[in-house]
Amino acid sequence: MKTHLLPHLQTFLVAARLRSFSAAARELGVSPAAVSQSVRQLEEQLRVVLFTRTTRSMALTAAGRRLLEGAGPGLGQALASLQEVSAQPGEAVGRLKLTVPEVAVPYVVTPVLPAFRARHPRVEVEVAVENRFVDIVAEGYDAGVRLHEAIERDMVQVRLTDAFRFVVVAAPSYLERHGTPQKPEDLLRHECFTLRVPSSGALYAWELERGKRSWRVPVRGSIVTNHRELTRALVEQGLGLAYAFEPAVKGQLRSGRLVRVLEEYAPTVPGFFLYFPSRAQRSGPLRLFIEVARELAARTL
């Protein structure tokens, strides 16, 4: 057994997660040269190249990705176990790293995290808020939050919220000037705020449904942004239509600043789910977070 490689493996995993030798050095408390030397020794022993490096960037090779995906969860669990053994009876210690889309933060993270930290103060929590699809295994996350249909089938899923809708909204002033769309195809003649899909760079097509029929409408407009607050402010000013997460615009709909358009075509999605690989269930911090999230996440949106 090549147990002498374990320190080099840990260095590699940190560098792979952070995609930076200097950042890995800061986290490990060593010099960048020491990180580079450790990774080089691991490559020499394994007889493979783990990183492709230039003066400005670095990326994992195919062999590096295989090592990260295979060894990362296991070593992480081993280190967590060492922390747990050193804890007092009934005390939880460790680290929890989550990836969460921006839209889910007020309903999943904000209500849960304060109570979780109060109950388990020795568990360190890192929450990365990002709207792209994340490979949680390859990037070293313990779990993530997504809509049900966006989760890979081999992941364990824990429901956090009830179902909700996505709706098309507009300000009354916009509809007075430009008219109200009556069917999905009418959206093609309107000014619509849209965003680019992070994984492909393509503009997002609005998804609508009615009965058993569904539409993907390739809407267009003069402003493209992935910032929900900016979109909402511009829509309220009557500059166009937006495709919105309904719970996020409840206040504007209630006050009349915004109104629903094509409501009979609004699609319902199953809700937000916490997801993680099956082997991650052995993580004490994750199990405890699931308990608190089930109790305190905003179930009804």
Side-chain angles (χ1 to χ4, degrees), residues 18-95:
L18 298 175
R19 298 293 196 273
S20 167
F21 281 4
S22 58
R26 287 193 296 272
E27 180 168 315
L28 294 168
V30 299
S31 68
V35 171
S36 178
Q37 181 180 7
S38 183
V39 170
R40 185 166 57 251
Q41 290 177 359
L42 182 62
E43 289 177 325
E44 290 173 355
Q45 289 290 321
L46 298 178
R47 299 179 182 178
V48 296
V49 176
L50 299 172
F51 290 104
T52 56
R53 300 185 284 274
T54 68
T55 55
R56 291 185 295 179
S57 65
M58 60 182 289
L60 287 167
T61 62
R65 285 193 297 272
R66 289 197 304 273
L67 184 59
L68 175 61
E69 292 170 3
L75 186 58
Q77 181 61 37
L79 294 173
S81 296
L82 291 174
Q83 285 186 302
E84 290 176 13
V85 168
S86 67
Q88 298 298 318
E91 181 184 42
V93 299
R95 184 173 179 271

Side-chain angles (χ1 to χ4, degrees), residues 94-114:
R95 184 173 179 271
L96 184 65
K97 185 178 181 183
L98 306 172
T99 171
V100 182
E102 180 186 7
V103 71
V105 169
Y107 311 98
V108 174
V109 179
T110 303
V112 173
L113 199 53

